[in-house]
Amino acid sequence: PDLGWEWLRRNGDYQRDYAETRHSACDLRELTNRVRKRWGLHFVARPSLNATEAPVFWCPEDDTGTVLLAAAPSILPADGNLFSAIRETAARADEQGVHFLHDPGDGQLLHLLRLAGVAAGEPLAALIPLDLDGLDRLEAVQRLLKSMLGRAVPADTRLTKQQRRRIRHMLQAVDGRMNGASYREIAGVIYGVSRVASDPWKSSALRDATMDLVKDAFAMIAGGIARSFVIAADPDPMSEGGCEFGAPFSHSPLAALLRHRDLRPPLTTSG
């Protein structure tokens, strides 16, 4: 989710949507609904703030790392329920309930949603729908519970370490390119100047790797909008014009960062 925000806040169309909130005539309710449908972001966030500065809440239906908190069934004992250990940090309330963030201790914030009708201070239970994303949501609940019990918290496995490293390199590369850096300069920052200088640049594998990072990063910025874009043939990566609306947000490249497809059970078909 943190890396998803880093892509979205670089998208020019999202920046323009956010700018509308600064106008006195803005219909904030209408804009919020548009942002949810278009970008998968539940509350509008300032794009000038990075993932450590902005409290970012993705729509719970898209972010399967969101923990849904319901009232604990009365047949279960209230003694030992850990609801009192939850701190509602950066809380935002709406028709769904109260959204807040929880840090399990590894820097990967969890989005918690105390559902509408559930009073603050009452024993809680985590709600896991019996659907294709159930295992994904169960993993988020496990991270929450282990952090509250003081146990070692497993990593958020929706992205591997290798995927996270490549995405961070993509962000470095696209930021450098957007600020006028050459591909060689970008490669020097990511791979090291001496390593880049060890081979002729025009035939270097690092040159190709750097150009791929930039290309994929621009596609990710454009493709991160809530209705996924179909990139036109041979678009100019520095422009925002080579795209058109396609599938809903749940099928977009950005939404893929919010789901753990490997935890989905295989679909079976009946004869």
Side-chain angles (χ1 to χ4, degrees):
D2 54 341
L3 292 173
W5 169 243
E6 290 303 323
W7 292 123
L8 181 56
R9 75 188 190 96
R10 288 166 169 79
N11 185 288
D13 288 327
Y14 174 74
Q15 293 169 5
R16 283 185 283 275
D17 277 350
Y18 175 79
E20 287 191 33
T21 67
R22 318 310 296 170
H23 300 157
S24 58
C26 170
D27 183 338
L28 192 56
R29 180 183 294 273
E30 187 279 331
L31 181 62
T32 298
N33 287 335
R34 186 204 314 168
V35 165
R36 290 176 183 176
K37 292 176 182 178
R38 191 181 187 193
W39 307 103
L41 196 63
H42 199 70
F43 297 109
V44 179
R46 183 180 300 175
S48 61
L49 301 179
N50 64 36
T52 64
E53 299 168 327
V56 176
F57 297 94
W58 299 98
C59 292
E61 60 269 30
D62 294 311
D63 181 8
T64 57
T66 301
V67 178
L68 308 176
L69 299 174
S74 59
I75 61 172
L76 297 180
D79 293 345
N81 193 285
L82 301 175
F83 70 94
S84 61
I86 295 178
R87 299 290 179 266
E88 299 190 351
T89 305
R92 301 280 299 272
D94 68 357
E95 70 283 354
Q96 293 185 350
V98 179
H99 303 256
F100 54 99
L101 299 175
H102 173 81
D103 186 354
D106 60 358
Q108 296 295 311
L109 297 178
L110 284 168
H111 174 186
L112 275 56
L113 170 57
R114 176 163 53 84
L115 296 169
V118 180
E122 80 175 281
L124 298 171
L127 179 63
I128 306 292
L130 300 178
D131 60 17
L132 293 178
D133 291 321
L135 292 174
D136 201 350
R137 295 187 185 278
L138 190 61
E139 185 183 83
V141 173
Q142 182 187 42
R143 297 183 70 239
L144 171 64
L145 274 174
K146 288 199 171 184
S147 73
M148 296 172 71
L149 292 169
R151 300 181 183 178
V153 178
D156 185 338
T157 60
R158 285 176 288 178
L159 289 176
T160 66
K161 288 183 179 179
Q162 292 81 4
Q163 288 171 325
R164 281 189 169 272
R165 182 170 62 248
R166 187 170 195 277
I167 288 174
R168 289 194 175 96
H169 286 169
M170 287 165 64
L171 288 167
Q172 284 180 289
V174 76
D175 284 347
R177 195 64 177 164
M178 293 174 75
N179 284 283
S182 68
Y183 288 116
R184 183 164 188 154
E185 289 170 331
I186 294 169
V189 171
I190 294 175
Y191 302 112
V193 174
S194 59
R195 186 178 171 193
V196 171
S198 64
D199 293 311
W201 176 243
K202 286 191 176 181
S203 59
S204 170
L206 295 182
R207 177 177 181 269
D208 294 338
T210 302
M211 294 177 72
D212 282 344
L213 288 174
V214 172
K215 179 188 69 175
D216 292 347
F218 276 114
M220 193 68 184
I221 291 172
I225 100 170
R227 296 171 179 268
S228 74
F229 282 122
V230 178
I231 306 299
D234 194 24
D236 175 5
M238 293 299 290
S239 74
E240 298 178 47
C243 308
E244 61 185 10
F245 284 117
F249 176 71
S250 59
H251 296 161
S252 73
L254 179 55
L257 296 180
L258 306 179
R259 279 181 155 77
H260 193 322
R261 299 295 179 183
D262 290 343
L263 291 181
R264 286 185 162 216
L267 292 176
T268 59
T269 58
S270 56

